[in-house]
């Protein structure tokens, strides 16, 4: 299989994929009402199906609210993990009371 692989052709295909992906990101950025990709935020993300929405806490595409089971569950800011000495941050669930 390695003998049939042309590295130049493979590199060109990879370059084409990266270029096409970058162009799609630019288009989606403009469609979401932003001028530059740096203006994108997690609020601009949407899940394409219920399973992804349930796992991530994202809003489902086409709906303005997140799933009722996740409302208020995810904290909007990261909190330190463990004793805070390692510098890592994780998203922790917060109970809704």
């Amino acid at each position: 299989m390695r003998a049939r692989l042309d590295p130049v052709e493979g590199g060109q295909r990879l370059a084409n994929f990266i270029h096409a992906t970058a162009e799609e990101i630019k288009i989606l950025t403009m469609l979401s009402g932003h001028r530059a990709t740096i203006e994108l935020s997690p609020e601009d993300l949407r899940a394409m199906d219920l399973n992804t929405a349930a796992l991530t806490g994202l809003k489902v595409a086409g709906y303005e609210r997140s799933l009722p089971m996740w409302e208020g569950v995810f904290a909007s800011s990261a909190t330190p993990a463990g004793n805070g000495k390692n510098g890592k941050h994780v998203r922790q669930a917060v109970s809704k009371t």
Side-chain angles (χ1 to χ4, degrees), residues 65-96:
R65 295 176 43 168
S66 56
L67 294 175
M69 68 180 127
W70 289 115
E71 288 183 3
V73 172
F74 287 104
S76 60
S77 61
T79 56
N83 59 11
K85 294 180 182 177
N86 59 8
K88 293 183 181 178
H89 289 78
V90 295
R91 211 172 198 187
Q92 294 181 339
V94 186
S95 65
K96 187 177 179 183

Side-chain angles (χ1 to χ4, degrees), residues 35-93:
R35 293 178 183 228
T37 55
I38 198 160
E39 295 175 359
L40 292 172
S41 70
E43 184 62 28
D44 296 312
L45 295 175
R46 295 293 184 266
M48 296 301 292
D49 59 55
L50 291 175
N51 289 333
T52 304
L55 289 170
T56 62
L58 291 174
K59 297 175 184 176
V60 179
Y63 295 95
E64 285 303 312
R65 295 176 43 168
S66 56
L67 294 175
M69 68 180 127
W70 289 115
E71 288 183 3
V73 172
F74 287 104
S76 60
S77 61
T79 56
N83 59 11
K85 294 180 182 177
N86 59 8
K88 293 183 181 178
H89 289 78
V90 295
R91 211 172 198 187
Q92 294 181 339

Side-chain angles (χ1 to χ4, degrees), residues 26-38:
K26 288 179 191 176
I27 291 169
L28 293 171
T29 299
M30 288 186 281
L31 289 174
S32 65
H34 300 292
R35 293 178 183 228
T37 55
I38 198 160

